[in-house]
């Protein structure tokens, strides 16, 4: 079974969870990086990122040298931006056709997942969604507890496939 964790992260929370999951299930990992990243660490990031997200922008992302469609099981991670998934993921969904994959979705958020799972599931029609989970700013709150929960969640997905 070929396993991939694909994610975008601006402030490191989604990256932290992704790396924990990839290590737990021995998956390859792909970080989506916009060619032009929004400015971090200032109040404008919420405004510019939120606007991109609401406008359904598809920012150009840096090329990557693996083929996501060659994997059977894919865990997809994103921060919640303006109640939905981050724009880099929108670009990814447009560029890469995923069909008949076993998929787990997770998000990191500052307050709640909003409608992110429904919105991602819509983008992922034609695949089987095996699990969905959200974490509240793990790096600020319950870092180690969230890492353990993420690993357990991912392990259960993989175990359900090998039965
Ligand atoms: C542009 C922007 C928009 C955001 N919108 C939301 C939101 O609608 N709901 C929410 O709960 N958190 C929101 N957040 C908070 C992030 O989802 C949260 O801090 C997340 O853990 C960040 O993940 P990251 O560190 O991987 O970038 C937003 C953050 C940014 C930068």
């Amino acid at each position: 079974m070929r396993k991939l964790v694909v994610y975008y992260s601006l402030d490191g929370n989604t990256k932290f969870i992704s790396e924990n999951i990839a290590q737990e299930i021995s998956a390859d990992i792909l970080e989506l990086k916009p060619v032009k990243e929004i400015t971090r660490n200032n109040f404008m990031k919420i405004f510019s990122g939120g606007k991109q997200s609401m406008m359904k922008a598809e920012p150009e992302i840096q090329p990557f040298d693996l083929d996501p469609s060659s994997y059977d099981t894919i865990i997809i991670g994103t921060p919640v931006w303006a109640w939905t998934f981050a724009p880099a993921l929108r670009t990814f969904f447009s560029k890469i056709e995923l069909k008949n994959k076993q998929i787990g979705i997770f998000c990191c958020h500052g307050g709640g997942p909003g409608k992110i799972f429904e919105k991602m599931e819509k983008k992922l029609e034609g695949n089987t969604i095996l699990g969905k989970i959200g974490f509240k700013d793990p790096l600020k709150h319950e870092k180690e507890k969230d890492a353990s929960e993420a690993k357990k969640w991912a392990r259960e997905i993989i175990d359900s496939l090998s039965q």
Side-chain angles (χ1 to χ4, degrees):
M1 187 200 310
R2 301 196 72 213
K3 293 162 279 183
L4 177 69
V5 177
V6 54
Y7 73 98
Y8 165 78
S9 181
L10 181 66
D11 290 325
N13 292 277
T14 314
K15 184 182 181 74
F16 170 72
I17 297 292
S18 297
E19 288 174 348
N20 272 278
I21 289 176
Q23 197 185 25
E24 173 71 16
I25 63 172
S26 305
D28 291 341
I29 191 158
L30 169 61
E31 179 176 10
L32 302 177
K33 293 185 181 163
V35 169
K36 194 166 175 280
E37 185 56 284
I38 66 165
T39 314
R40 290 181 66 212
N41 300 328
N42 81 15
F43 74 98
M44 280 300 287
K45 78 177 177 190
I46 298 282
F47 176 75
S48 49
K51 186 170 152 207
Q52 264 194 23
S53 193
M54 282 192 283
M55 302 292 284
K56 297 191 166 44
E58 293 185 12
E60 194 185 340
I61 53 177
Q62 294 180 19
F64 37 84
D65 56 8
L66 57 75
D67 175 11
S69 57
S70 70
Y71 289 80
D72 321 289
T73 306
I74 306 180
I75 306 287
I76 304 177
T78 176
V80 177
W81 276 19
W83 306 280
T84 188
F85 51 87
L89 265 295
R90 196 173 292 283
T91 309
F92 178 77
F93 291 138
S94 288
K95 273 172 87 104
I96 308 291
E97 196 189 14
L98 298 178
K99 283 279 173 262
N100 303 317
K101 307 294 180 195
Q102 311 296 325
I103 292 192
I105 310 170
F106 80 88
C107 70
C108 292
H109 57 78
K115 294 234 179 280
I116 195 167
F117 295 127
E118 290 90 320
K119 288 179 178 169
M120 288 180 80
E121 279 182 86
K122 209 162 166 216
K123 284 283 178 193
L124 290 163
E125 270 170 18
N127 298 284
T128 305
I129 308 296
L130 295 167
K132 297 172 266 187
I133 192 166
F135 301 95
K136 182 169 176 175
D137 284 333
L139 297 180
K140 275 195 209 153
H141 301 291
E142 302 192 277
K143 189 174 169 186
E144 294 312 324
K145 183 167 167 274
D146 287 345
S148 307
E149 202 182 330
K151 289 193 271 193
K152 182 167 171 273
W153 172 78
R155 168 63 46 209
E156 280 169 6
I157 288 180
I158 300 305
D159 289 350
S160 76
L161 291 170
S162 50
Q163 275 163 18

